[in-house]
Amino acid sequence: SQQGEEDPQALSIQEGENATMNCSYKTSINNLQWYRQNSGRGLVHLILIRSNEREKHSGRLRVTLDTSKKSSSLLITASRAADTASYFCATVPRGTYKYIFGTGTRLKVLA
Amino acid sequence: DSGVTQTPKHLITATGQRVTLRCSPRSGDLSVYWYQQSLDQGLQFLIQYYNGEERAKGNILERFSAQQFPDLHSELNLSSLELGDSALYFCASSVETAVEGYNEQFFGPGTRLTVL
């Protein structure tokens, strides 16, 4: 399996509910980033969390990072139909410059 | 609008042909990245350039090559095209620090390549 795998692969929720997606990775990293992609469009950066941080907030987004478990989670609170998109985590293994994107979680928010 | 431009938006060509994809990074960004996104392989990192020099190579085939010019725009050349090369190709740029990439990437809208 590849570095950076998200689960679930797909998630369908009602507007107003919270959405949680998880990312696992394999090697030591300097930081972990989350991106959103609307269908067929370019990715948009959401939030970056450094390896020495455990939690970070940005608006309705909350990201956690557990380096001992090599995992991260992205929580979107009070979801909106406009949050419907695919969400990817991205890591740069320590000692490299190679960005590795996960397999993505497809989120569908029903109005 | 991310500030990263890619041309063309769509490209339809035949197997065996060669194409060139072009990317202009955001003003001031020294790093350019190329990615391939297909349904079965996800988003694959191909190559990164920093200020004209190749910095990292990912899953880039030997039939593919790239370069970054003095004005920092970049081109991705794909040759001897196969059906399996059909994909979305994204370019991204970022402001880089002197060490490993710590910064967010700004993605262009992509070039959709269809090989018939």
Side-chain angles (χ1 to χ4, degrees), chain B residues 37-95:
Chain B
Q37 187 176 37
S38 58
L39 283 174
D40 57 344
Q41 292 291 318
L43 192 69
Q44 298 288 315
F45 168 75
L46 295 178
I47 197 163
Q48 180 202 357
Y49 280 84
Y50 173 72
N51 203 21
E53 299 290 325
E54 181 185 305
R55 177 179 261 187
K57 213 173 225 186
N59 302 322
I60 188 166
L61 300 172
E62 286 191 10
R63 301 183 285 109
F64 296 0
S65 65
Q67 54 184 326
Q68 186 180 28
F69 295 87
D71 67 352
L72 300 178
H73 91 270
S74 178
E75 292 181 356
L76 179 67
N77 301 295
L78 315 176
S79 61
S80 303
L81 285 167
E82 302 174 359
L83 295 177
D85 297 327
S86 295
L88 263 172
Y89 290 84
F90 288 107
C91 165
S93 74
S94 72
V95 173

Side-chain angles (χ1 to χ4, degrees), chain A residues 3-33:
Chain A
Q3 170 104 335
E5 294 189 357
E6 288 92 339
D7 79 270
Q9 288 189 340
L11 182 60
S12 187
I13 59 174
Q14 295 292 324
E15 211 167 26
E17 293 181 339
N18 296 340
T20 299
M21 51 206 88
N22 305 295
C23 166
S24 61
Y25 58 92
K26 294 186 179 299
T27 64
S28 295
I29 58 173
N30 291 311
N31 68 60
L32 186 143
Q33 303 178 34

Side-chain angles (χ1 to χ4, degrees), chain A residues 2 30-31 33 35 37 40-45 48 50 88 92-102, chain B residues 33 35 37 43-45 48 55-58 88 90 96 98-105 107-109 112:
Chain A
Q2 57 182 316
N30 291 311
N31 68 60
Q33 303 178 34
Y35 288 80
Q37 184 182 31
R41 309 283 294 272
L43 280 73
V44 175
H45 181 266
L48 179 154
R50 301 195 187 282
F88 296 87
V92 178
R94 200 183 296 274
T96 79
Y97 293 96
K98 300 180 182 181
Y99 279 81
I100 299 178
F101 281 78
Chain B
Y33 310 78
Y35 294 89
Q37 187 176 37
L43 192 69
Q44 298 288 315
F45 168 75
Q48 180 202 357
R55 177 179 261 187
K57 213 173 225 186
L88 263 172
F90 288 107
E96 284 295 318
V99 293
E100 297 157 19
Y102 284 97
N103 305 299
E104 66 180 285
Q105 295 179 61
F107 279 76
R112 184 173 293 279

Side-chain angles (χ1 to χ4, degrees), chain A residues 64-105:
Chain A
T64 62
L65 178 64
D66 187 335
T67 53
S68 67
K69 294 182 180 177
K70 292 186 171 59
S71 68
S72 173
S73 67
L74 171 66
L75 168 68
I76 303 174
T77 60
S79 63
R80 306 165 182 167
D83 295 328
T84 294
S86 291
Y87 291 82
F88 296 87
C89 66
T91 57
V92 178
R94 200 183 296 274
T96 79
Y97 293 96
K98 300 180 182 181
Y99 279 81
I100 299 178
F101 281 78
T103 50
T105 292

